[in-house]
Amino acid sequence: MTIEQHIEELRLELKTACDAAERRQIETELQLAEADLAVMLAEQDGAIEAEPPF
């Protein structure tokens, strides 16, 4: 599964989640997945480097 597919599944789960605790958990997972995607895209564009600075 790609990161984009994972994000889409989390968005769908969030729409159907009834429990507040479950919603918070899904929202957190979604934010982490979106951040991962942003980093991956920035690395591809050369905007950031994945290697440590030292």
Side-chain angles (χ1 to χ4, degrees):
M1 169 184 319
T2 67
I3 188 75
E4 291 90 350
Q5 289 170 328
H6 183 63
I7 289 171
E8 190 59 34
E9 284 190 11
L10 288 171
R11 287 179 178 154
L12 292 173
E13 284 183 37
L14 189 57
K15 288 180 182 180
T16 61
C18 297
D19 184 0
E22 182 182 14
R23 286 188 61 78
R24 283 191 302 272
Q25 180 182 359
I26 295 169
E27 287 170 344
T28 301
E29 288 181 44
L30 179 57
Q31 288 174 349
L32 290 173
E34 289 172 334
D36 286 343
L37 178 60
V39 168
M40 289 172 51
L41 294 174
E43 287 173 352
Q44 287 178 357
D45 292 340
I48 63 170
E49 292 192 24
E51 295 184 24
F54 48 88

mmCIF file of all heavy atoms in Angstrom:
data_model
loop_
_atom_site.group_PDB
_atom_site.id
_atom_site.type_symbol
_atom_site.label_atom_id
_atom_site.label_comp_id
_atom_site.label_asym_id
_atom_site.label_seq_id
_atom_site.Cartn_x
_atom_site.Cartn_y
_atom_site.Cartn_z
ATOM 1 N N MET A 1 0.854 -1.174 0.000
ATOM 2 C CA MET A 1 0.000 0.000 0.000
ATOM 3 C C MET A 1 0.900 1.239 0.000
ATOM 4 O O MET A 1 1.857 1.322 0.749
ATOM 5 C CB MET A 1 -0.886 -0.021 1.252
ATOM 6 C CG MET A 1 -1.625 1.238 1.513
ATOM 7 S SD MET A 1 -2.602 1.350 3.023
ATOM 8 C CE MET A 1 -3.359 -0.218 3.154
ATOM 9 N N THR A 2 0.555 2.180 -0.839
ATOM 10 C CA THR A 2 1.328 3.423 -0.881
ATOM 11 C C THR A 2 0.887 4.349 0.247
ATOM 12 O O THR A 2 -0.193 4.176 0.836
ATOM 13 C CB THR A 2 1.134 4.143 -2.231
ATOM 14 O OG1 THR A 2 -0.215 4.597 -2.312
ATOM 15 C CG2 THR A 2 1.492 3.251 -3.404
ATOM 16 N N ILE A 3 1.707 5.344 0.513
ATOM 17 C CA ILE A 3 1.376 6.315 1.560
ATOM 18 C C ILE A 3 0.108 7.076 1.195
ATOM 19 O O ILE A 3 -0.706 7.391 2.063
ATOM 20 C CB ILE A 3 2.566 7.269 1.835
ATOM 21 C CG1 ILE A 3 2.315 8.161 3.045
ATOM 22 C CG2 ILE A 3 2.885 8.113 0.628
ATOM 23 C CD1 ILE A 3 2.451 7.476 4.367
ATOM 24 N N GLU A 4 -0.075 7.323 -0.097
ATOM 25 C CA GLU A 4 -1.283 8.024 -0.534
ATOM 26 C C GLU A 4 -2.533 7.183 -0.276
ATOM 27 O O GLU A 4 -3.564 7.707 0.154
ATOM 28 C CB GLU A 4 -1.203 8.388 -2.026
ATOM 29 C CG GLU A 4 -0.177 9.449 -2.346
ATOM 30 C CD GLU A 4 1.201 8.883 -2.665
ATOM 31 O OE1 GLU A 4 1.435 7.661 -2.462
ATOM 32 O OE2 GLU A 4 2.056 9.657 -3.112
ATOM 33 N N GLN A 5 -2.439 5.881 -0.519
ATOM 34 C CA GLN A 5 -3.563 4.982 -0.257
ATOM 35 C C GLN A 5 -3.861 4.927 1.244
ATOM 36 O O GLN A 5 -5.021 4.922 1.659
ATOM 37 C CB GLN A 5 -3.260 3.578 -0.769
ATOM 38 C CG GLN A 5 -3.247 3.449 -2.264
ATOM 39 C CD GLN A 5 -2.706 2.107 -2.720
ATOM 40 O OE1 GLN A 5 -1.841 1.512 -2.080
ATOM 41 N NE2 GLN A 5 -3.226 1.619 -3.842
ATOM 42 N N HIS A 6 -2.798 4.883 2.036
ATOM 43 C CA HIS A 6 -2.966 4.838 3.495
ATOM 44 C C HIS A 6 -3.672 6.103 3.986
ATOM 45 O O HIS A 6 -4.595 6.032 4.812
ATOM 46 C CB HIS A 6 -1.594 4.680 4.159
ATOM 47 C CG HIS A 6 -1.647 4.547 5.637
ATOM 48 N ND1 HIS A 6 -2.270 3.491 6.265
ATOM 49 C CD2 HIS A 6 -1.171 5.334 6.627
ATOM 50 C CE1 HIS A 6 -2.165 3.649 7.577
ATOM 51 N NE2 HIS A 6 -1.510 4.750 7.813
ATOM 52 N N ILE A 7 -3.269 7.248 3.460
ATOM 53 C CA ILE A 7 -3.899 8.514 3.846
ATOM 54 C C ILE A 7 -5.376 8.512 3.464
ATOM 55 O O ILE A 7 -6.233 8.919 4.253
ATOM 56 C CB ILE A 7 -3.154 9.706 3.205
ATOM 57 C CG1 ILE A 7 -1.787 9.869 3.877
ATOM 58 C CG2 ILE A 7 -3.970 10.989 3.285
ATOM 59 C CD1 ILE A 7 -0.865 10.863 3.198
ATOM 60 N N GLU A 8 -5.687 8.031 2.273
ATOM 61 C CA GLU A 8 -7.081 7.986 1.826
ATOM 62 C C GLU A 8 -7.915 7.064 2.718
ATOM 63 O O GLU A 8 -9.051 7.396 3.086
ATOM 64 C CB GLU A 8 -7.161 7.539 0.368
ATOM 65 C CG GLU A 8 -8.535 7.687 -0.225
ATOM 66 C CD GLU A 8 -9.073 9.106 -0.195
ATOM 67 O OE1 GLU A 8 -8.293 10.065 -0.325
ATOM 68 O OE2 GLU A 8 -10.294 9.254 -0.032
ATOM 69 N N GLU A 9 -7.356 5.917 3.090
ATOM 70 C CA GLU A 9 -8.075 4.998 3.981
ATOM 71 C C GLU A 9 -8.313 5.629 5.344
ATOM 72 O O GLU A 9 -9.393 5.477 5.924
ATOM 73 C CB GLU A 9 -7.305 3.691 4.131
ATOM 74 C CG GLU A 9 -7.430 2.788 2.934
ATOM 75 C CD GLU A 9 -6.862 1.400 3.190
ATOM 76 O OE1 GLU A 9 -6.552 1.057 4.345
ATOM 77 O OE2 GLU A 9 -6.731 0.659 2.204
ATOM 78 N N LEU A 10 -7.322 6.337 5.859
ATOM 79 C CA LEU A 10 -7.494 7.006 7.148
ATOM 80 C C LEU A 10 -8.572 8.081 7.072
ATOM 81 O O LEU A 10 -9.375 8.232 7.993
ATOM 82 C CB LEU A 10 -6.167 7.609 7.617
ATOM 83 C CG LEU A 10 -5.113 6.603 8.085
ATOM 84 C CD1 LEU A 10 -3.775 7.309 8.298
ATOM 85 C CD2 LEU A 10 -5.554 5.899 9.358
ATOM 86 N N ARG A 11 -8.614 8.815 5.962
ATOM 87 C CA ARG A 11 -9.654 9.840 5.790
ATOM 88 C C ARG A 11 -11.043 9.211 5.765
ATOM 89 O O ARG A 11 -11.986 9.754 6.353
ATOM 90 C CB ARG A 11 -9.409 10.630 4.508
ATOM 91 C CG ARG A 11 -8.239 11.573 4.619
ATOM 92 C CD ARG A 11 -7.999 12.322 3.351
ATOM 93 N NE ARG A 11 -6.883 13.258 3.506
ATOM 94 C CZ ARG A 11 -6.128 13.678 2.517
ATOM 95 N NH1 ARG A 11 -6.362 13.285 1.281
ATOM 96 N NH2 ARG A 11 -5.136 14.502 2.754
ATOM 97 N N LEU A 12 -11.171 8.076 5.097
ATOM 98 C CA LEU A 12 -12.457 7.378 5.059
ATOM 99 C C LEU A 12 -12.837 6.861 6.445
ATOM 100 O O LEU A 12 -14.000 6.957 6.850
ATOM 101 C CB LEU A 12 -12.403 6.224 4.057
ATOM 102 C CG LEU A 12 -12.293 6.621 2.589
ATOM 103 C CD1 LEU A 12 -12.069 5.387 1.716
ATOM 104 C CD2 LEU A 12 -13.534 7.378 2.144
ATOM 105 N N GLU A 13 -11.876 6.300 7.163
ATOM 106 C CA GLU A 13 -12.139 5.811 8.517
ATOM 107 C C GLU A 13 -12.572 6.956 9.415
ATOM 108 O O GLU A 13 -13.453 6.791 10.262
ATOM 109 C CB GLU A 13 -10.887 5.159 9.108
ATOM 110 C CG GLU A 13 -10.578 3.787 8.583
ATOM 111 C CD GLU A 13 -9.365 3.179 9.260
ATOM 112 O OE1 GLU A 13 -9.175 3.381 10.479
ATOM 113 O OE2 GLU A 13 -8.597 2.500 8.562
ATOM 114 N N LEU A 14 -11.930 8.109 9.249
ATOM 115 C CA LEU A 14 -12.258 9.265 10.083
ATOM 116 C C LEU A 14 -13.707 9.707 9.872
ATOM 117 O O LEU A 14 -14.387 10.099 10.815
ATOM 118 C CB LEU A 14 -11.297 10.408 9.762
ATOM 119 C CG LEU A 14 -11.328 11.623 10.666
ATOM 120 C CD1 LEU A 14 -11.066 11.242 12.118
ATOM 121 C CD2 LEU A 14 -10.312 12.644 10.191
ATOM 122 N N LYS A 15 -14.179 9.614 8.645
ATOM 123 C CA LYS A 15 -15.565 10.007 8.343
ATOM 124 C C LYS A 15 -16.578 9.097 9.030
ATOM 125 O O LYS A 15 -17.684 9.524 9.354
ATOM 126 C CB LYS A 15 -15.804 9.977 6.841
ATOM 127 C CG LYS A 15 -15.128 11.081 6.092
ATOM 128 C CD LYS A 15 -15.421 10.988 4.609
ATOM 129 C CE LYS A 15 -14.711 12.072 3.843
ATOM 130 N NZ LYS A 15 -14.982 12.002 2.400
ATOM 131 N N THR A 16 -16.212 7.829 9.249
ATOM 132 C CA THR A 16 -17.165 6.873 9.813
ATOM 133 C C THR A 16 -16.942 6.587 11.296
ATOM 134 O O THR A 16 -17.735 5.866 11.890
ATOM 135 C CB THR A 16 -17.115 5.544 9.030
ATOM 136 O OG1 THR A 16 -15.807 4.996 9.132
ATOM 137 C CG2 THR A 16 -17.481 5.757 7.576
ATOM 138 N N ALA A 17 -15.894 7.157 11.874
ATOM 139 C CA ALA A 17 -15.600 6.897 13.291
ATOM 140 C C ALA A 17 -16.634 7.579 14.173
ATOM 141 O O ALA A 17 -16.948 8.760 14.001
ATOM 142 C CB ALA A 17 -14.202 7.392 13.633
ATOM 143 N N CYS A 18 -17.167 6.816 15.115
ATOM 144 C CA CYS A 18 -18.190 7.348 16.014
ATOM 145 C C CYS A 18 -17.621 7.721 17.384
ATOM 146 O O CYS A 18 -18.058 8.685 18.000
ATOM 147 C CB CYS A 18 -19.300 6.315 16.204
ATOM 148 S SG CYS A 18 -20.167 5.928 14.688
ATOM 149 N N ASP A 19 -16.676 6.947 17.831
ATOM 150 C CA ASP A 19 -16.083 7.120 19.157
ATOM 151 C C ASP A 19 -15.051 8.252 19.125
ATOM 152 O O ASP A 19 -14.212 8.325 18.226
ATOM 153 C CB ASP A 19 -15.420 5.797 19.560
ATOM 154 C CG ASP A 19 -14.838 5.810 20.952
ATOM 155 O OD1 ASP A 19 -14.937 6.845 21.644
ATOM 156 O OD2 ASP A 19 -14.278 4.778 21.357
ATOM 157 N N ALA A 20 -15.098 9.138 20.130
ATOM 158 C CA ALA A 20 -14.179 10.276 20.182
ATOM 159 C C ALA A 20 -12.726 9.821 20.302
ATOM 160 O O ALA A 20 -11.839 10.397 19.677
ATOM 161 C CB ALA A 20 -14.545 11.194 21.338
ATOM 162 N N ALA A 21 -12.476 8.797 21.082
ATOM 163 C CA ALA A 21 -11.108 8.293 21.251
ATOM 164 C C ALA A 21 -10.588 7.713 19.939
ATOM 165 O O ALA A 21 -9.426 7.924 19.569
ATOM 166 C CB ALA A 21 -11.061 7.241 22.351
ATOM 167 N N GLU A 22 -11.455 7.015 19.230
ATOM 168 C CA GLU A 22 -11.070 6.444 17.945
ATOM 169 C C GLU A 22 -10.784 7.558 16.934
ATOM 170 O O GLU A 22 -9.813 7.489 16.173
ATOM 171 C CB GLU A 22 -12.178 5.534 17.416
ATOM 172 C CG GLU A 22 -11.840 4.870 16.098
ATOM 173 C CD GLU A 22 -12.973 4.004 15.565
ATOM 174 O OE1 GLU A 22 -14.113 4.099 16.058
ATOM 175 O OE2 GLU A 22 -12.698 3.228 14.631
ATOM 176 N N ARG A 23 -11.604 8.610 16.955
ATOM 177 C CA ARG A 23 -11.386 9.742 16.054
ATOM 178 C C ARG A 23 -10.038 10.393 16.315
ATOM 179 O O ARG A 23 -9.312 10.714 15.376
ATOM 180 C CB ARG A 23 -12.494 10.789 16.208
ATOM 181 C CG ARG A 23 -13.812 10.387 15.587
ATOM 182 C CD ARG A 23 -14.817 11.536 15.603
ATOM 183 N NE ARG A 23 -14.379 12.699 14.857
ATOM 184 C CZ ARG A 23 -14.433 12.802 13.523
ATOM 185 N NH1 ARG A 23 -14.887 11.807 12.810
ATOM 186 N NH2 ARG A 23 -14.038 13.896 12.929
ATOM 187 N N ARG A 24 -9.697 10.583 17.586
ATOM 188 C CA ARG A 24 -8.412 11.197 17.931
ATOM 189 C C ARG A 24 -7.249 10.334 17.446
ATOM 190 O O ARG A 24 -6.258 10.848 16.921
ATOM 191 C CB ARG A 24 -8.310 11.427 19.438
ATOM 192 C CG ARG A 24 -9.100 12.637 19.918
ATOM 193 C CD ARG A 24 -8.758 12.994 21.352
ATOM 194 N NE ARG A 24 -9.010 11.893 22.270
ATOM 195 C CZ ARG A 24 -10.159 11.648 22.886
ATOM 196 N NH1 ARG A 24 -11.195 12.440 22.666
ATOM 197 N NH2 ARG A 24 -10.292 10.638 23.716
ATOM 198 N N GLN A 25 -7.383 9.025 17.618
ATOM 199 C CA GLN A 25 -6.327 8.107 17.183
ATOM 200 C C GLN A 25 -6.160 8.171 15.659
ATOM 201 O O GLN A 25 -5.039 8.248 15.151
ATOM 202 C CB GLN A 25 -6.636 6.682 17.610
ATOM 203 C CG GLN A 25 -5.582 5.691 17.180
ATOM 204 C CD GLN A 25 -5.932 4.269 17.563
ATOM 205 O OE1 GLN A 25 -6.957 4.011 18.175
ATOM 206 N NE2 GLN A 25 -5.085 3.338 17.186
ATOM 207 N N ILE A 26 -7.256 8.157 14.931
ATOM 208 C CA ILE A 26 -7.200 8.214 13.473
ATOM 209 C C ILE A 26 -6.644 9.562 13.019
ATOM 210 O O ILE A 26 -5.829 9.625 12.090
ATOM 211 C CB ILE A 26 -8.592 7.952 12.856
ATOM 212 C CG1 ILE A 26 -9.038 6.518 13.169
ATOM 213 C CG2 ILE A 26 -8.579 8.190 11.351
ATOM 214 C CD1 ILE A 26 -10.494 6.230 12.835
ATOM 215 N N GLU A 27 -7.062 10.644 13.671
ATOM 216 C CA GLU A 27 -6.553 11.970 13.321
ATOM 217 C C GLU A 27 -5.050 12.042 13.512
ATOM 218 O O GLU A 27 -4.332 12.602 12.675
ATOM 219 C CB GLU A 27 -7.241 13.050 14.163
ATOM 220 C CG GLU A 27 -8.663 13.321 13.763
ATOM 221 C CD GLU A 27 -9.411 14.210 14.741
ATOM 222 O OE1 GLU A 27 -8.936 14.384 15.891
ATOM 223 O OE2 GLU A 27 -10.472 14.730 14.366
ATOM 224 N N THR A 28 -4.553 11.448 14.602
ATOM 225 C CA THR A 28 -3.119 11.431 14.861
ATOM 226 C C THR A 28 -2.386 10.632 13.792
ATOM 227 O O THR A 28 -1.370 11.085 13.256
ATOM 228 C CB THR A 28 -2.830 10.836 16.256
ATOM 229 O OG1 THR A 28 -3.499 11.639 17.239
ATOM 230 C CG2 THR A 28 -1.348 10.801 16.549
ATOM 231 N N GLU A 29 -2.900 9.449 13.462
ATOM 232 C CA GLU A 29 -2.291 8.626 12.414
ATOM 233 C C GLU A 29 -2.299 9.353 11.076
ATOM 234 O O GLU A 29 -1.329 9.288 10.317
ATOM 235 C CB GLU A 29 -3.030 7.299 12.286
ATOM 236 C CG GLU A 29 -2.790 6.344 13.421
ATOM 237 C CD GLU A 29 -3.524 5.024 13.227
ATOM 238 O OE1 GLU A 29 -3.501 4.487 12.095
ATOM 239 O OE2 GLU A 29 -4.124 4.549 14.196
ATOM 240 N N LEU A 30 -3.388 10.052 10.795
ATOM 241 C CA LEU A 30 -3.508 10.790 9.541
ATOM 242 C C LEU A 30 -2.482 11.922 9.484
ATOM 243 O O LEU A 30 -1.822 12.120 8.467
ATOM 244 C CB LEU A 30 -4.927 11.340 9.388
ATOM 245 C CG LEU A 30 -5.222 12.166 8.140
ATOM 246 C CD1 LEU A 30 -4.927 11.372 6.874
ATOM 247 C CD2 LEU A 30 -6.674 12.628 8.155
ATOM 248 N N GLN A 31 -2.326 12.649 10.574
ATOM 249 C CA GLN A 31 -1.345 13.735 10.614
ATOM 250 C C GLN A 31 0.073 13.204 10.405
ATOM 251 O O GLN A 31 0.869 13.812 9.676
ATOM 252 C CB GLN A 31 -1.432 14.491 11.936
ATOM 253 C CG GLN A 31 -2.668 15.344 12.065
ATOM 254 C CD GLN A 31 -2.802 15.965 13.440
ATOM 255 O OE1 GLN A 31 -2.090 15.608 14.381
ATOM 256 N NE2 GLN A 31 -3.725 16.900 13.563
ATOM 257 N N LEU A 32 0.390 12.071 11.024
ATOM 258 C CA LEU A 32 1.715 11.478 10.854
ATOM 259 C C LEU A 32 1.937 11.023 9.416
ATOM 260 O O LEU A 32 3.017 11.242 8.844
ATOM 261 C CB LEU A 32 1.906 10.301 11.812
ATOM 262 C CG LEU A 32 2.032 10.653 13.288
ATOM 263 C CD1 LEU A 32 2.033 9.392 14.142
ATOM 264 C CD2 LEU A 32 3.302 11.456 13.520
ATOM 265 N N ALA A 33 0.937 10.408 8.823
ATOM 266 C CA ALA A 33 1.051 9.942 7.445
ATOM 267 C C ALA A 33 1.205 11.124 6.491
ATOM 268 O O ALA A 33 2.018 11.074 5.560
ATOM 269 C CB ALA A 33 -0.163 9.099 7.073
ATOM 270 N N GLU A 34 0.451 12.196 6.719
ATOM 271 C CA GLU A 34 0.565 13.382 5.870
ATOM 272 C C GLU A 34 1.944 14.031 6.024
ATOM 273 O O GLU A 34 2.525 14.507 5.035
ATOM 274 C CB GLU A 34 -0.547 14.377 6.188
ATOM 275 C CG GLU A 34 -1.913 13.912 5.738
ATOM 276 C CD GLU A 34 -3.056 14.788 6.197
ATOM 277 O OE1 GLU A 34 -2.937 15.480 7.235
ATOM 278 O OE2 GLU A 34 -4.095 14.777 5.523
ATOM 279 N N ALA A 35 2.476 14.029 7.233
ATOM 280 C CA ALA A 35 3.820 14.568 7.460
ATOM 281 C C ALA A 35 4.865 13.712 6.753
ATOM 282 O O ALA A 35 5.801 14.246 6.141
ATOM 283 C CB ALA A 35 4.110 14.653 8.954
ATOM 284 N N ASP A 36 4.716 12.393 6.827
ATOM 285 C CA ASP A 36 5.627 11.494 6.122
ATOM 286 C C ASP A 36 5.601 11.763 4.623
ATOM 287 O O ASP A 36 6.647 11.803 3.970
ATOM 288 C CB ASP A 36 5.274 10.027 6.384
ATOM 289 C CG ASP A 36 5.663 9.560 7.775
ATOM 290 O OD1 ASP A 36 6.474 10.240 8.436
ATOM 291 O OD2 ASP A 36 5.144 8.500 8.193
ATOM 292 N N LEU A 37 4.408 11.943 4.077
ATOM 293 C CA LEU A 37 4.273 12.224 2.656
ATOM 294 C C LEU A 37 4.943 13.552 2.305
ATOM 295 O O LEU A 37 5.647 13.649 1.292
ATOM 296 C CB LEU A 37 2.796 12.247 2.244
ATOM 297 C CG LEU A 37 2.517 12.579 0.788
ATOM 298 C CD1 LEU A 37 3.178 11.569 -0.153
ATOM 299 C CD2 LEU A 37 1.016 12.635 0.539
ATOM 300 N N ALA A 38 4.759 14.560 3.132
ATOM 301 C CA ALA A 38 5.368 15.864 2.876
ATOM 302 C C ALA A 38 6.890 15.754 2.861
ATOM 303 O O ALA A 38 7.556 16.347 2.004
ATOM 304 C CB ALA A 38 4.910 16.877 3.933
ATOM 305 N N VAL A 39 7.445 14.978 3.780
ATOM 306 C CA VAL A 39 8.897 14.781 3.822
ATOM 307 C C VAL A 39 9.361 14.038 2.571
ATOM 308 O O VAL A 39 10.359 14.423 1.946
ATOM 309 C CB VAL A 39 9.319 14.024 5.105
ATOM 310 C CG1 VAL A 39 10.763 13.564 5.024
ATOM 311 C CG2 VAL A 39 9.100 14.897 6.326
ATOM 312 N N MET A 40 8.646 12.996 2.195
ATOM 313 C CA MET A 40 9.011 12.234 1.001
ATOM 314 C C MET A 40 9.009 13.122 -0.235
ATOM 315 O O MET A 40 9.929 13.060 -1.063
ATOM 316 C CB MET A 40 8.054 11.053 0.814
ATOM 317 C CG MET A 40 8.233 9.950 1.821
ATOM 318 S SD MET A 40 6.952 8.668 1.753
ATOM 319 C CE MET A 40 6.930 8.235 0.034
ATOM 320 N N LEU A 41 7.985 13.948 -0.380
ATOM 321 C CA LEU A 41 7.897 14.841 -1.531
ATOM 322 C C LEU A 41 8.998 15.893 -1.506
ATOM 323 O O LEU A 41 9.576 16.225 -2.554
ATOM 324 C CB LEU A 41 6.518 15.498 -1.593
ATOM 325 C CG LEU A 41 5.345 14.554 -1.870
ATOM 326 C CD1 LEU A 41 4.024 15.297 -1.772
ATOM 327 C CD2 LEU A 41 5.504 13.884 -3.225
ATOM 328 N N ALA A 42 9.319 16.413 -0.342
ATOM 329 C CA ALA A 42 10.385 17.407 -0.225
ATOM 330 C C ALA A 42 11.735 16.791 -0.574
ATOM 331 O O ALA A 42 12.567 17.431 -1.219
ATOM 332 C CB ALA A 42 10.408 17.986 1.183
ATOM 333 N N GLU A 43 11.950 15.540 -0.170
ATOM 334 C CA GLU A 43 13.191 14.847 -0.513
ATOM 335 C C GLU A 43 13.285 14.654 -2.022
ATOM 336 O O GLU A 43 14.347 14.838 -2.613
ATOM 337 C CB GLU A 43 13.268 13.495 0.190
ATOM 338 C CG GLU A 43 13.531 13.589 1.670
ATOM 339 C CD GLU A 43 13.445 12.244 2.370
ATOM 340 O OE1 GLU A 43 13.036 11.235 1.756
ATOM 341 O OE2 GLU A 43 13.796 12.197 3.557
ATOM 342 N N GLN A 44 12.174 14.289 -2.654
ATOM 343 C CA GLN A 44 12.172 14.086 -4.107
ATOM 344 C C GLN A 44 12.445 15.380 -4.857
ATOM 345 O O GLN A 44 13.112 15.378 -5.889
ATOM 346 C CB GLN A 44 10.829 13.512 -4.559
ATOM 347 C CG GLN A 44 10.617 12.076 -4.189
ATOM 348 C CD GLN A 44 9.239 11.569 -4.612
ATOM 349 O OE1 GLN A 44 8.417 12.313 -5.132
ATOM 350 N NE2 GLN A 44 8.997 10.291 -4.380
ATOM 351 N N ASP A 45 11.913 16.477 -4.345
ATOM 352 C CA ASP A 45 12.098 17.777 -4.992
ATOM 353 C C ASP A 45 13.481 18.367 -4.701
ATOM 354 O O ASP A 45 13.849 19.377 -5.297
ATOM 355 C CB ASP A 45 11.037 18.784 -4.526
ATOM 356 C CG ASP A 45 9.650 18.419 -5.016
ATOM 357 O OD1 ASP A 45 9.553 17.640 -5.996
ATOM 358 O OD2 ASP A 45 8.664 18.907 -4.431
ATOM 359 N N GLY A 46 14.204 17.775 -3.766
ATOM 360 C CA GLY A 46 15.507 18.297 -3.390
ATOM 361 C C GLY A 46 15.435 19.452 -2.420
ATOM 362 O O GLY A 46 16.427 20.122 -2.175
ATOM 363 N N ALA A 47 14.254 19.687 -1.862
ATOM 364 C CA ALA A 47 14.079 20.796 -0.923
ATOM 365 C C ALA A 47 14.765 20.510 0.417
ATOM 366 O O ALA A 47 15.190 21.438 1.109
ATOM 367 C CB ALA A 47 12.599 21.075 -0.696
ATOM 368 N N ILE A 48 14.865 19.227 0.777
ATOM 369 C CA ILE A 48 15.559 18.839 2.004
ATOM 370 C C ILE A 48 16.415 17.624 1.698
ATOM 371 O O ILE A 48 16.205 16.923 0.712
ATOM 372 C CB ILE A 48 14.583 18.513 3.157
ATOM 373 C CG1 ILE A 48 13.707 17.309 2.806
ATOM 374 C CG2 ILE A 48 13.755 19.720 3.536
ATOM 375 C CD1 ILE A 48 12.892 16.790 3.969
ATOM 376 N N GLU A 49 17.384 17.378 2.581
ATOM 377 C CA GLU A 49 18.221 16.201 2.425
ATOM 378 C C GLU A 49 17.891 15.227 3.554
ATOM 379 O O GLU A 49 17.706 15.634 4.688
ATOM 380 C CB GLU A 49 19.695 16.585 2.469
ATOM 381 C CG GLU A 49 20.102 17.402 1.245
ATOM 382 C CD GLU A 49 21.609 17.546 1.130
ATOM 383 O OE1 GLU A 49 22.323 16.688 1.670
ATOM 384 O OE2 GLU A 49 22.020 18.505 0.498
ATOM 385 N N ALA A 50 17.828 13.951 3.214
ATOM 386 C CA ALA A 50 17.438 12.934 4.182
ATOM 387 C C ALA A 50 18.571 12.535 5.106
ATOM 388 O O ALA A 50 18.351 11.947 6.146
ATOM 389 C CB ALA A 50 16.906 11.708 3.458
ATOM 390 N N GLU A 51 19.803 12.854 4.723
ATOM 391 C CA GLU A 51 20.944 12.443 5.535
ATOM 392 C C GLU A 51 21.121 13.388 6.720
ATOM 393 O O GLU A 51 20.843 14.574 6.623
ATOM 394 C CB GLU A 51 22.198 12.428 4.684
ATOM 395 C CG GLU A 51 22.134 11.388 3.585
ATOM 396 C CD GLU A 51 23.423 11.294 2.798
ATOM 397 O OE1 GLU A 51 24.477 11.669 3.354
ATOM 398 O OE2 GLU A 51 23.361 10.855 1.653
ATOM 399 N N PRO A 52 21.621 12.834 7.848
ATOM 400 C CA PRO A 52 21.873 13.680 9.016
ATOM 401 C C PRO A 52 22.938 14.734 8.702
ATOM 402 O O PRO A 52 23.792 14.497 7.841
ATOM 403 C CB PRO A 52 22.375 12.709 10.079
ATOM 404 C CG PRO A 52 22.286 11.355 9.514
ATOM 405 C CD PRO A 52 21.929 11.448 8.087
ATOM 406 N N PRO A 53 22.911 15.855 9.378
ATOM 407 C CA PRO A 53 23.843 16.934 9.072
ATOM 408 C C PRO A 53 25.276 16.684 9.528
ATOM 409 O O PRO A 53 26.167 17.447 9.211
ATOM 410 C CB PRO A 53 23.237 18.134 9.804
ATOM 411 C CG PRO A 53 22.470 17.540 10.909
ATOM 412 C CD PRO A 53 21.946 16.222 10.366
ATOM 413 N N PHE A 54 25.535 15.639 10.274
ATOM 414 C CA PHE A 54 26.896 15.396 10.785
ATOM 415 C C PHE A 54 27.619 14.330 10.041
ATOM 416 O O PHE A 54 27.167 13.595 9.264
ATOM 417 C CB PHE A 54 26.868 15.060 12.277
ATOM 418 C CG PHE A 54 25.845 14.027 12.630
ATOM 419 C CD1 PHE A 54 26.154 12.677 12.584
ATOM 420 C CD2 PHE A 54 24.568 14.393 13.009
ATOM 421 C CE1 PHE A 54 25.213 11.727 12.925
ATOM 422 C CE2 PHE A 54 23.621 13.448 13.346
ATOM 423 C CZ PHE A 54 23.942 12.115 13.303
#
